[in-house]
Amino acid sequence: MADLATLLEAWEPVIGLEVHVQLATESKAFSPSGTTFGAEPNSLTDPTVLALPGALPTFNVKALELALRLGVATGSKIRARCRFARKHYFYPDLPKGYQISQYDEPLCEDGTIELWVANQRRKVRLQRIHLEEDAGKNTHHGTTSLVDLNRAGVPLCEVVTLPDLHSAEEAAEYMRALHRLVRYLGVSEGDMEKGQMRCDANVSVRRRGEDRLGTRTELKNINSFRFVQKAIEHEIARQIRLLEEGGAVERETRLWDADAGTSAPMRSKEEIADYRYFPDPDLPPLAVDGATMRQVITSMPELPVPKLERFVREYGLTFDDAATLTDERELAEYLDAAVRSAGDGALARPLASFILTELLRVLGGRPITEAPVTPEALAELIGLVASDVISGKIAKDVFATMCKTGERAGFIVQRDDLRQISDASVLRPLCEKIIADNPKQVAQYRGGKDSLLGFFVGQLMKATEGKANPSLSADLMKKLLAG
Ligand code: ADP
Ligand code: MG
């Protein structure tokens, strides 16, 4: 059969994602137990989590505030009053026999998440964002199975897209955009390795030009950004090949096996009726008042996409540099603070480039919050380069000293006498001496070997311990060698 790229000319993939995002609360959604990752199994439980008779849930308003932040940031319609519903199923990780979720009255609807795919801006439409609680975790060991209820009752937001994504790459980019957004908002740490963000992917394909959606499968257990793309790519190829061979896609849930790089059927999809949804009588309706909304709206940070665009527009950064610098809110804010402190927009680019090369290298993967140098101190250093007090090369040495001692750039330059020599009357005699000392190279240069200019400038740098103004040095050398 033809390769996938060729098959994709005739078939269009359609993907909708359901992403569970753990809300960054200290206690559970409906009870006081903690939510610390990696705690002793079953240590984060209480009568409500254990579903002991008579225990009643009390909703954690912090979870509501976090969900509202995401709702506002995605421009969703927010329900002023909504209800929790019980979703029933039987499994050992769910002691109550039902999960508290939302059904016909989700907190948020009709939002969008913006992202860039292949340098193109895209809006992915959201069907809904609703609140729910997590279940516990079962692990299987030979003939025994163990249940850990530490996760049971942890608050989640389920973010559901419309079937709006059309490639595995786009789906992966959407996941990254959502991850970035929830981290910017402080809604979740979004750590997939800790299960704080989990993705189920609904995948179908249809002939290009066809309006009707094809039969979809739902892929479960995708727990890394890389696997989102791989699992969906694999499923798209599987469905197209099946249909090309005259087969049909079964409506089923499939489990992605990351080690094998394949998926296998898990169960045929349960019908809505199987869950016997109904409003939870133990919980009052959830009301969102005006004061809460105002507080959420006024505390919105600048979001990742507008920030990226501003960095391109106002700071003159390339798309890729702006994307790297806005990936984490704290990193973007570091640059903003440095530019503000420099008091000169023209310094934004050299600041950005110094952060991307020198500062990130020094950090070696640690977060910007651990930067050894404040934005203000970096702005001072780059200011010295911009005003020709020191050269870019010396700036790197000064930066190394700043990282080590915490001293300010101006102080180091003064103390170690690192000011750039921009005075031609000081440099000229040094140039003349270098020319006199290197007759062989002078002859070669004058014979047409222009590349030797670098050698002469290098000698001058050596003689001045790197302090000669580089462009003045090159000009001066060229003139004297010509003469
Ligand atoms: P369920 O509750 O059974 O999972 P929903 O109708 O709520 O089903 O849809 C869940 C997700 O599946 C949504 O993200 C939606 O966009 C997506 N989806 C629905 N139909 C299709 C389809 N034919 N192909 C791909 N994705 C789909
Ligand atoms: Mg589903």
Side-chain angles (χ1 to χ4, degrees):
M1 193 174 291
D3 67 359
L4 185 59
T6 313
L7 292 171
L8 282 171
E9 288 169 17
W11 294 94
E12 181 190 37
V14 177
I15 303 149
L17 297 185
E18 295 165 274
V19 182
H20 286 94
V21 178
Q22 177 175 336
L23 299 172
T25 59
E26 281 176 20
S27 58
K28 293 196 175 179
F30 301 103
S31 65
S33 293
T35 56
T36 321
F37 178 80
E40 177 77 10
N42 295 306
S43 61
L44 307 176
T45 58
D46 52 52
T48 305
V49 169
L50 297 170
L52 299 184
L56 285 171
T58 314
F59 182 56
N60 181 350
V61 289
K62 178 75 185 176
L64 173 64
E65 186 206 309
L66 295 176
L68 285 175
R69 289 177 73 74
L70 188 56
V72 168
T74 53
S76 299
K77 277 190 230 145
I78 296 181
R79 223 176 267 273
R81 202 179 145 86
C82 61
R83 273 189 306 191
F84 287 108
R86 292 185 177 181
K87 176 181 181 180
H88 297 80
Y89 62 87
F90 293 95
Y91 209 55
D93 62 10
L94 190 70
K96 294 196 294 298
Y98 61 85
Q99 176 192 27
I100 303 176
S101 180
Q102 294 191 300
Y103 178 52
D104 50 354
E105 297 184 9
L107 181 66
C108 312
E109 282 172 294
D110 301 336
T112 52
I113 287 187
E114 290 190 79
L115 50 121
W116 290 85
V117 190
N119 287 12
Q120 287 231 304
R121 193 170 163 167
R122 277 269 285 122
K123 268 188 182 178
V124 177
R125 291 172 298 159
L126 301 180
Q127 203 172 71
R128 58 193 271 151
I129 302 174
H130 70 245
L131 284 161
E132 62 182 35
E133 60 174 345
D134 207 349
K137 193 179 162 73
N138 300 329
T139 48
H140 308 287
H141 311 264
T143 54
T144 35
S145 290
L146 300 175
V147 182
D148 177 8
L149 294 175
N150 281 355
R151 296 196 65 94
V154 164
L156 309 175
C157 244
E158 181 171 340
V159 184
V160 184
T161 73
L162 286 174
D164 241 5
L165 298 155
H166 296 285
S167 70
E169 186 202 357
E170 220 169 72
E173 215 37 73
Y174 166 82
M175 278 296 280
R176 277 190 278 270
L178 177 58
H179 178 256
R180 203 176 292 126
L181 183 62
V182 297
R183 288 177 59 86
Y184 260 66
L185 297 169
V187 161
S188 175
E189 283 167 41
D191 188 336
M192 285 188 96
E193 277 168 29
K194 293 184 184 166
Q196 293 171 344
M197 227 173 126
R198 278 148 24 217
C199 169
D200 298 339
N202 296 270
V203 179
S204 66
V205 298
R206 62 184 171 194
R207 289 215 174 263
R208 292 205 181 266
E210 170 69 72
D211 289 331
R212 261 182 324 153
L213 292 172
T215 302
R216 70 173 138 140
T217 58
E218 184 168 346
L219 294 167
K220 294 258 179 204
N221 194 34
I222 309 179
N223 53 15
S224 88
F225 290 108
R226 206 157 47 87
F227 296 155
V228 172
Q229 183 150 353
K230 283 190 85 168
I232 294 174
E233 248 159 33
H234 180 272
E235 181 59 14
I236 290 169
R238 191 189 70 84
Q239 290 187 10
I240 295 178
R241 301 220 152 97
L242 197 61
L243 293 167
E244 285 271 337
E245 284 163 4
V249 174
E250 295 287 335
R251 174 93 164 80
E252 64 188 1
T253 301
R254 298 176 68 87
L255 195 66
W256 171 249
D257 179 342
D259 293 330
T262 56
S263 63
M266 186 164 88
R267 55 170 189 247
S268 64
K269 177 73 187 169
E270 51 289 88
E271 295 296 321
I272 280 292
D274 298 338
Y275 289 128
R276 298 183 295 119
Y277 278 102
F278 71 83
D280 192 318
D282 286 346
L283 287 157
L286 201 55
V288 181
D289 59 38
T292 307
M293 280 304 289
R294 268 193 297 283
Q295 200 272 328
V296 168
I297 291 166
T298 52
S299 67
M300 269 295 116
E302 184 179 30
L303 300 180
V305 168
K307 219 181 197 33
L308 187 158
E309 288 171 345
R310 181 168 61 79
F311 279 15
V312 170
R313 191 180 62 239
E314 281 178 18
Y315 292 170
L317 306 188
T318 63
F319 178 88
D320 287 345
D321 284 353
T324 307
L325 286 163
T326 53
D327 194 38
E328 293 278 348
R329 177 175 166 184
E330 290 79 8
L331 182 59
E333 287 178 351
Y334 186 99
L335 174 62
D336 274 333
V339 175
R340 221 177 303 123
S341 169
D344 178 0
L347 291 194
R349 257 165 72 171
L351 275 167
S353 115
F354 204 91
I355 291 171
L356 286 168
T357 53
E358 303 304 313
L359 183 56
L360 291 187
R361 187 173 49 71
V362 165
L363 282 168
R366 282 175 300 143
I368 189 73
T369 45
E370 290 177 31
V373 164
T374 65
E376 294 73 26
L378 189 69
E380 181 188 332
L381 174 68
I382 299 305
L384 292 175
V385 179
S387 54
D388 266 345
V389 174
I390 55 171
S391 68
K393 189 173 161 302
I394 292 284
K396 292 181 189 173
D397 300 338
V398 175
F399 180 67
T401 309
M402 289 165 69
C403 291
K404 233 183 290 155
T405 66
E407 293 159 332
R408 304 285 295 217
F411 172 80
I412 296 168
V413 169
Q414 193 84 31
R415 182 195 57 201
D416 298 349
D417 188 21
L418 298 173
R419 292 181 81 86
Q420 178 161 256
I421 305 168
S422 297
D423 183 345
S425 68
V426 175
L427 294 177
R428 190 172 297 111
L430 298 173
C431 292
E432 281 163 353
K433 179 163 187 313
I434 290 164
I435 289 170
D437 287 350
N438 295 281
K440 209 173 81 201
Q441 283 84 349
V442 172
Q444 285 174 339
Y445 179 85
R446 290 184 175 150
K449 202 169 170 200
D450 291 348
S451 61
L452 273 176
L453 181 64
F455 163 79
F456 291 107
V457 174
Q459 292 297 307
L460 183 59
M461 284 297 169
K462 218 191 234 166
T464 57
E465 293 175 305
K467 289 186 287 184
N469 178 324
S471 65
L472 178 62
S473 300
D475 285 351
L476 211 55
M477 269 295 180
K478 222 190 267 176
K479 216 186 296 158
L480 292 171
L481 282 164

